[in-house]
Amino acid sequence: MSQPGILELISFGSDGWGKALLAGAWMTILIALAGYTIGAVIGSFGAWAKISGGRSLRIAADAYTTVLRGIPDLLVIYLFYFGGSAVVTAVGRLLGAEGFLGFPGFLAGSLAVGVTSGAQFTEIFRGAFKAVHAGEIEAAIACGMGRLLRFRRIIAPLTLRHALPGMGNVWQVVLKESALVSITGVAELLRQTQVAAGSTGLPFDFYVIAGAIYLMISTGSGLFLRRAETHFSRGVRRG
């Protein structure tokens, strides 16, 4: 009996795995978006703590970036998943529930990816802020802009322009890190691929298909981010 072709494997019929792979790809994108957003928020506060915070905040931010950039991302996911499950189980017992209560894999994975990417965002935003020319801030002060207006009209847009290349790189990393969330049982792309490979006995075929899907997502989002970088950087790159 001949092996099915690629088109048969990814078909949307009863014998194909197209629907499962598509659902897994969508879940991968959702995890990446959630983790990316969480990371950007954490990174904003981390950069602020390093730039404008007091000594204790700077120490805390330095410790955060040092620790999170120094331990494996997979370990962070384990800590969130099993640590979160332990906390949920303990709270459940206090409320009268019995047995083990698992922490949602999607939430654990998104938080873990967000916390790890937040360390990278912290350094990106800090460096981007440092790249803003002091004269532009001084000009805003001379025009009578208050601190909030100065941040909204001058500092934030210019910082974002300088940060965009780094933010694009973080997105590519987060997209690949989302595959690690499969260990929590979330039916993202890699998990669906593992199930399909085990069910059909065609691991090489399905892992090649998964690689192609990851590449399409990465390439498509990369093109979007590069266009955004070009758009927001107009008038900044001058010889």
Side-chain angles (χ1 to χ4, degrees):
M1 184 176 178
S2 61
Q3 292 185 348
I6 293 293
L7 293 179
E8 294 179 70
L9 293 176
I10 62 175
S11 69
F12 288 86
S14 57
D15 297 328
W17 290 85
K19 290 182 179 179
L21 294 176
L22 184 62
W26 176 241
M27 182 60 68
T28 290
I29 294 173
L30 289 179
I31 293 172
L33 285 173
Y36 190 81
T37 303
I38 293 170
V41 172
I42 294 175
S44 299
F45 284 105
W48 169 80
K50 287 196 171 190
I51 295 168
S52 304
R55 184 171 181 273
S56 59
L57 287 176
R58 286 198 300 272
I59 292 174
D62 286 335
Y64 163 67
T65 54
T66 299
V67 171
L68 268 298
R69 295 169 72 185
I71 63 176
D73 299 336
L74 184 60
L75 176 58
V76 179
I77 294 175
Y78 275 129
L79 291 174
F80 269 90
Y81 182 63
F82 291 110
S85 297
V87 172
V88 171
T89 300
V91 172
R93 287 175 180 170
L94 290 176
L95 299 176
E98 297 181 357
F100 176 79
L101 298 176
F103 195 65
F106 177 87
L107 182 57
S110 298
L111 289 173
V113 172
V115 168
T116 54
S117 64
Q120 300 176 58
F121 271 117
T122 296
E123 296 302 329
I124 289 171
F125 290 152
R126 185 183 66 83
F129 176 80
K130 294 293 185 182
V132 176
H133 198 281
E136 295 177 276
I137 300 177
E138 291 171 0
I141 296 174
C143 291
M145 288 187 180
R147 179 174 296 182
L148 184 59
L149 181 60
R150 190 163 66 243
F151 175 81
R152 184 171 61 87
R153 296 291 297 274
I154 304 296
I155 298 175
L158 291 176
T159 299
L160 179 61
R161 286 176 178 177
H162 292 297
L164 276 173
M167 293 175 68
N169 291 334
V170 172
W171 167 254
Q172 301 295 345
V173 173
V174 165
L175 189 61
K176 290 188 289 185
E177 284 181 349
S178 65
L180 300 176
V181 181
S182 62
I183 64 169
T184 66
V186 176
E188 47 73 67
L189 179 56
L190 184 59
R191 181 66 175 175
Q192 295 284 31
T193 302
Q194 292 170 335
V195 173
S199 299
T200 61
L202 299 171
F204 180 78
D205 302 69
F206 275 102
Y207 287 124
V208 168
I209 293 171
I213 296 173
Y214 276 114
L215 185 59
M216 286 190 290
I217 298 173
S218 175
T219 302
S221 56
L223 289 173
F224 172 79
L225 289 170
R226 281 193 291 273
R227 292 191 64 177
E229 180 185 345
T230 301
H231 173 77
F232 287 106
S233 297
R234 287 184 299 181
V236 175
R237 296 175 180 173
R238 299 174 181 175

